């Protein structure tokens, strides 16, 4: 079945450092890929998405590129801020019609940014 | 446009009891999905409702059941609660063209 493997955390960085959180996936067909963020005590918020190979999703300075050849969707940010401290989840849905497909999540990576 | 809301926020139940969790979907969305997020884990898909019918189910026992109402709000019912049911329960609403938007979750503690 479909699965998502995420870089294990926790990750601690200094403010303005570069961030990469690795995510690889296993799926049949052509899944859509997502990064969700969960701030303390809150539900999940969609951070960015990509629906086909070579698409780049971006939002709030974060980027991730859908790499079909390496089955990866790594999350990157050039300069992190204290407000980026949260848990980040990589996820996939089985098709581009993602509204009505279940999401399969990775285990999450906790990110802490130190001033 | 209102977002996805869930009630209650927190709940404490005793093993063997039954619980009902509620979710109001975002305006214009016809699909509700439920997920269980155990502490330190990613969310696991429980089931999905589309236009009042179950539209897919994850690896959860039958004591997890649900409903969707004509206004597309939804309930998750769990019977015979077990300690391992302690988790954050998330619902997400969506429609055919739009990704899933999550509510803030209900934290269930089973003692």
């Amino acid at each position: 079945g479909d699965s998502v493997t995420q870089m294990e955390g926790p990750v601690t960085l200094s403010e303005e450092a570069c961030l990469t959180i690795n995510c690889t996936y296993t799926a049949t067909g052509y899944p859509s890929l997502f990064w969700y963020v969960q701030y303390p005590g809150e539900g999940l918020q969609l951070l960015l998405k990509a629906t086909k190979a070579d698409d780049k999703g971006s939002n709030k300075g974060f980027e991730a590129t859908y790499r079909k050849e390496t089955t990866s969707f790594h999350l990157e940010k050039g300069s992190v801020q204290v407000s980026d401290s949260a848990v980040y989840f990589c996820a996939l849905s089985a098709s581009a019609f993602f509204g009505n497909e279940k999401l399969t999540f990775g285990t999450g990576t906790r990110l802490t940014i130190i001033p | 446009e209102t977002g996805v809301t869930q009630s209650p926020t927190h709940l404490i139940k005793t093993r063997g009891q039954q619980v009902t969790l509620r979710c109001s979907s975002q305006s214009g969305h016809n699909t509700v999905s439920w997920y269980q997020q155990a502490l330190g884990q990613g969310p696991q898909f429980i089931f999905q409702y589309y236009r009042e019918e179950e539209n897919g189910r994850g690896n959860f026992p039958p004591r997890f059941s649900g409903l969707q109402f004509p206004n597309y709000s939804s309930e998750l019912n769990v019977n015979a609660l077990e300690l391992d049911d302690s988790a954050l329960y998330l619902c997400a609403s969506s429609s055919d063209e739009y990704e899933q938007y999550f509510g803030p979750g209900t934290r269930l503690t089973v003692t």
Side-chain angles (χ1 to χ4, degrees):
Chain A
D2 297 344
S3 67
V4 174
T5 301
Q6 253 183 267
M7 169 179 167
E8 300 232 350
V11 174
T12 303
L13 295 172
S14 297
E15 201 166 23
E16 298 184 3
C18 294
L19 168 71
T20 299
I21 300 177
N22 291 334
C23 171
T24 57
Y25 67 90
T26 302
T28 55
Y30 302 93
S32 294
L33 301 173
F34 306 84
W35 278 99
Y36 280 85
V37 59
Q38 188 173 38
Y39 297 102
E42 297 185 12
L44 299 175
Q45 298 178 26
L46 178 65
L47 181 60
L48 53 83
K49 67 178 187 275
T51 59
K52 61 183 187 295
D54 300 324
D55 265 3
K56 177 185 285 187
S58 62
N59 187 25
K60 299 182 181 180
F62 291 90
E63 294 182 338
T65 301
Y66 188 145
R67 301 286 188 201
K68 190 167 175 62
E69 64 275 14
T70 55
T71 61
S72 65
F73 193 55
H74 304 322
L75 182 67
E76 299 177 326
K77 188 174 186 182
S79 176
V80 293
Q81 307 299 314
V82 172
S83 58
D84 295 327
S85 297
V87 181
Y88 291 81
F89 292 94
C90 185
L92 68 80
S93 70
S95 78
F97 298 98
F98 38 72
N100 291 341
E101 294 281 348
K102 71 170 186 176
L103 290 168
T104 298
F105 286 88
T107 54
T109 301
R110 180 175 298 278
L111 174 66
T112 302
I113 307 301
I114 300 171
Chain B
E1 180 179 277
T2 58
V4 180
T5 60
Q6 292 186 243
S7 62
T9 305
H10 295 91
L11 201 52
I12 299 174
K13 290 287 189 178
T14 302
R15 190 170 48 184
Q17 287 187 315
Q18 178 266 341
V19 69
T20 298
L21 310 182
R22 295 179 175 83
C23 172
S24 292
S25 59
Q26 188 160 314
S27 176
H29 288 184
N30 56 20
T31 303
V32 172
S33 304
W34 286 93
Y35 295 82
Q36 180 196 66
Q37 186 181 10
L39 197 63
Q41 300 297 314
Q44 298 290 317
F45 176 73
I46 303 174
F47 46 56
Q48 181 182 87
Y49 280 82
Y50 172 69
R51 297 182 185 270
E52 303 179 57
E53 297 288 332
E54 188 177 291
N55 184 46
R57 187 178 184 93
N59 189 26
F60 281 81
R63 59 190 186 83
F64 286 78
S65 63
L67 283 174
Q68 188 179 32
F69 300 99
N71 66 355
Y72 302 130
S73 66
S74 178
E75 287 183 353
L76 164 66
N77 299 290
V78 187
N79 293 321
L81 284 166
E82 301 177 0
L83 297 179
D84 284 350
D85 296 334
S86 295
L88 180 67
Y89 288 85
L90 298 164
C91 81
S93 77
S94 57
S95 64
D96 296 343
E97 297 85 28
Y98 298 101
E99 64 269 16
Q100 296 178 29
Y101 287 87
F102 284 80
T106 294
R107 173 74 61 188
L108 172 65
T109 302
V110 182
T111 63

